[in-house]
Amino acid sequence: AIGAFRYFDAAKMRTVLVGDNFGGEYIEDSTNETSGIVFRPHIQGIPGLPRKHPEATLVDQYVTWMGEDTRFGHNYIREAKLFVDLFDLTHWQLLEAKVKASREVIRMAIGQLRDYKRYYHGRHPSLAVLLSSRPTVSCIKLLTDNRIAAIWRTSRGNFSTRRWQEQDE
């Protein structure tokens, strides 16, 4: 075959060129899109927090419930010197974990997610807040109005999700 193609290697957080380009015009090189972000696979908890921290425990419970540890990880944003609580490679989603579901805590999570998202040049991730209990209807609406999914732990130990709907734009 003649030519080349690119794909996004989520494990390395960069695009990869396969084959020879033969000097022709091709998709602009985007290797610097995420050069400031380093992916680290999820092993346990949240980097920078004690293992028994409630938010770290919530993240572990969610990853276990989802059943596929390999698709989760933590991105380190070099420029801001921050780790995101959880990154879902399969759904290309940033998750911010919070133990309390109060309006103040959810507002803080919205700000954190918006702050993280601005460092993802090129392919922007979707956003979600992971909560230890169901938020109020008003707080769910606050999240979904801001295009952020709400994920919470149910009383039975499962997780439920309310996604924002694109037709509501």
Side-chain angles (χ1 to χ4, degrees):
I2 297 175
F5 70 93
R6 287 184 195 247
Y7 71 95
F8 186 79
D9 184 341
K12 294 180 181 174
M13 297 290 290
R14 64 181 186 90
T15 55
V16 177
L17 177 65
V18 177
D20 295 320
N21 193 357
F22 297 107
E25 291 293 319
Y26 202 75
I27 299 171
E28 183 178 309
D29 186 4
S30 59
T31 57
N32 292 328
E33 286 178 357
T34 55
S35 63
I37 299 173
V38 178
F39 179 78
R40 181 169 134 188
H42 176 78
I43 297 170
Q44 186 177 29
I46 300 172
L49 292 180
R51 289 185 181 182
K52 300 281 186 187
H53 189 281
E55 288 176 2
T57 302
L58 179 63
V59 163
D60 288 339
Q61 291 169 343
Y62 180 68
V63 169
T64 300
W65 182 78
M66 290 294 286
E68 296 183 35
D69 295 358
T70 57
R71 71 179 184 182
F72 291 101
H74 307 277
N75 290 342
Y76 179 70
I77 303 169
R78 287 182 182 157
E79 185 178 341
K81 296 182 175 105
L82 296 169
F83 270 106
V84 300
D85 287 354
L86 193 62
F87 193 87
D88 181 343
L89 286 171
T90 302
H91 300 103
W92 202 250
Q93 185 176 55
L94 277 169
L95 292 99
E96 178 64 28
K98 296 295 180 192
V99 175
K100 294 183 181 178
S102 69
R103 176 171 298 281
E104 294 78 17
V105 169
I106 289 172
R107 290 177 68 202
M108 181 185 295
I110 291 169
Q112 287 176 273
L113 287 167
R114 295 277 182 218
D115 184 20
Y116 299 150
K117 184 176 180 176
R118 66 194 182 99
Y119 292 100
Y120 289 81
H121 307 290
R123 184 178 180 195
H124 293 286
S126 63
L127 307 174
V129 175
L130 177 62
L131 300 161
S132 59
S133 61
R134 183 186 175 103
T136 64
V137 171
S138 174
C139 286
I140 290 173
K141 182 151 176 47
L142 173 62
L143 288 166
T144 57
D145 283 354
N146 281 281
R147 298 182 174 191
I148 298 172
I151 304 169
W152 63 88
R153 187 167 176 80
T154 67
S155 58
R156 294 185 176 183
N158 298 321
F159 286 85
S160 187
T161 303
R162 179 71 48 88
R163 292 179 178 83
W164 66 274
Q165 302 298 319
E166 290 185 28
Q167 62 264 23
D168 292 342
E169 293 184 77

